[in-house]
């Protein structure tokens, strides 16, 4: 998926820039001086001003599941890499590998729905990292999609009850992530994420609208992270005539912050 994001950015750079700029500016406006900051879903740092973070913090911890991001982190931080810039490569949910291993068994036994309903997401390990500021960077909406894709690769067709159970497990992952940001941030927590997907066809008036928040995560996102600020904007993710002649995709992005200071 990381490679896919990189390729799409290359094709759609001009349309992405307003979203990337809004993200960077939101983070900068809400930064405070501190010792340690964690950036969850750092990716290729397209939407993060690393130099600005280093001006405010002694250590910047970058988290992402995509190993190929490390080269960009090292290039941008130079001799600071491994000292003030600390890399963490791996699944930030901490459970996707375990859940995935059990998928085949659930599919073979015909108990996929029961298996999906049984899943609960524990508190992620990074919650205990001792961070003053935690930034969830355009990743909360992606986490459940990673899991959904794995489930559908094993069982492409689900019953209605199976779809409900899958959505519930996707929501559990998002809730664990959002609550984790709240618990981990000693001073400031920021969450920037998609909240709705808009799919359009240039030949049609009606658009298809889908939520990017699943299950209880809608409540968690709006209540827990609504204490001290909300901004929103649109991200033209895939304009028509670029990847498709008529079809395009726009995301509604919300940025929320809470403070413990």
């Amino acid at each position: 998926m990381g490679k896919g994001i990189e390729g799409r950015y290359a094709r759609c750079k001009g349309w992405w820039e307003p979203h990337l700029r809004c993200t960077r500016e939101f983070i900068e406006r809400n930064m405070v001086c501190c010792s340690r900051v964690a950036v969850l879903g750092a990716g290729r740092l397209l939407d993060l001003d690393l130099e600005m973070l280093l001006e405010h913090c002694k250590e910047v911890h970058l988290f992402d599941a995509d190993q190929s991001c490390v080269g960009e982190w090292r290039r941008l931080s130079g001799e600071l890499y491994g000292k003030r810039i600390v890399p963490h490569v791996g699944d930030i949910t901490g459970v996707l590998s375990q859940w995935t291993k059990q998928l085949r068994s659930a599919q073979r036994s015909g108990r996929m729905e029961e298996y999906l309903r049984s899943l609960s997401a524990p508190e992620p390990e990074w919650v205990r990292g001792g961070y003053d500021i935690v930034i969830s960077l355009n990743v909360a909406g992606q986490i459940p999609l990673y899991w959904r894709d794995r489930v559908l690769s094993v069982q492409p067709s689900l019953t209605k009850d199976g779809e409900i159970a899958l959505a519930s497990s996707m929501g559990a992952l998002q809730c664990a992530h959002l609550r984790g940001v709240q618990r981990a941030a000693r001073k400031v927590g920021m969450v920037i994420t998609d909240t709705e997907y808009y799919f359009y066809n240039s030949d049609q008036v009606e658009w298809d609208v889908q939520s990017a928040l699943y299950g209880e995560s809608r409540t968690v996102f709006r209540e827990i992270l609504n204490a001290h600020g909300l901004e929103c904007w649109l991200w033209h993710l895939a304009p028509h005539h670029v990847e498709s002649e008529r079809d395009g995709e726009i995301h509604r992005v919300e940025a929320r912050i809470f403070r413990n200071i």
Side-chain angles (χ1 to χ4, degrees):
M1 187 170 282
K3 289 292 187 182
I5 292 173
E6 185 177 38
R8 178 168 271 180
Y9 171 68
R11 295 188 297 272
C12 306
K13 183 176 181 180
W15 287 275
W16 281 31
E17 187 51 41
H19 159 66
L20 301 178
R21 184 183 68 251
C22 286
T23 302
R24 290 190 294 264
E25 291 176 351
F26 176 83
I27 294 171
E28 183 171 6
R29 281 195 299 274
N30 292 289
M31 281 299 299
V32 296
C33 292
C34 68
S35 294
R36 291 156 59 91
V37 59
V39 182
L40 309 173
R44 285 158 178 76
L45 306 178
L46 299 174
D47 41 10
L48 186 72
D49 186 340
L50 189 58
E51 184 175 342
M52 181 274 296
L53 288 187
L54 290 170
E55 292 174 356
H56 287 80
C57 307
K58 294 179 181 178
E59 289 182 8
V60 178
H61 292 250
L62 302 177
F63 290 77
D64 205 279
D66 185 1
Q67 177 70 40
S68 67
C69 294
V70 173
E72 187 67 9
W73 298 350
R74 190 189 299 271
R75 183 185 71 81
L76 289 175
S77 56
E79 63 181 15
L80 298 179
Y81 182 83
K83 300 174 184 177
R84 293 187 63 198
I85 302 295
V86 184
H88 302 265
V89 178
D91 167 30
I92 61 174
T93 74
V95 296
L96 283 184
S97 293
Q98 176 187 346
W99 286 12
T100 302
K101 289 178 182 178
Q102 299 167 343
L103 275 175
R104 290 289 182 187
S105 176
Q107 191 270 339
R108 286 194 298 268
S109 64
R111 303 176 65 184
M112 182 65 76
E113 294 172 19
E114 180 181 344
Y115 170 62
L116 293 174
R117 285 195 299 270
S118 72
L119 295 173
S120 61
E123 182 177 85
E125 290 186 9
W126 45 262
V127 171
R128 297 175 289 280
Y131 303 109
D132 299 300
I133 298 175
V134 179
I135 304 170
S136 175
L137 189 59
N138 290 303
V139 72
Q142 296 180 35
I143 289 171
L145 302 184
Y146 300 149
W147 170 238
R148 180 199 65 188
D149 291 348
R150 295 184 183 200
V151 172
L152 296 182
S153 70
V154 172
Q155 188 161 319
S157 179
L158 296 173
T159 65
K160 185 64 174 179
D161 287 342
E163 291 175 354
I164 293 172
L166 173 58
S168 178
S169 65
M170 293 164 68
L173 289 171
Q174 282 185 317
C175 285
H177 179 81
L178 296 172
R179 290 192 174 113
V181 173
Q182 184 195 31
R183 286 179 55 82
R186 293 175 173 177
K187 291 186 175 181
V188 176
M190 304 184 212
V191 176
I192 303 102
T193 185
D194 308 319
T195 57
E196 288 183 328
Y197 303 137
Y198 307 137
F199 301 95
Y200 70 89
N201 183 297
S202 59
D203 294 336
Q204 299 177 5
V205 174
E206 293 185 355
W207 292 18
D208 180 23
V209 180
Q210 298 179 11
S211 176
L213 299 171
Y214 300 87
E216 190 183 350
S217 66
R218 298 181 182 90
T219 301
V220 173
F221 183 63
R222 288 176 173 82
E223 293 183 357
I224 293 181
L225 301 174
N226 198 28
H228 298 100
L230 163 66
E231 297 181 25
C232 60
W233 56 84
L234 296 179
W235 175 13
H236 207 158
L237 182 79
H240 72 286
H241 297 307
V242 176
E243 295 189 344
S244 170
E245 183 63 28
R246 295 180 178 84
D247 295 323
E249 183 176 346
I250 296 173
H251 290 189
R252 174 186 169 87
V253 178
E254 293 189 19
R256 294 177 182 255
I257 181 172
F258 65 91
R259 302 180 187 275
N260 293 320
I261 54 176

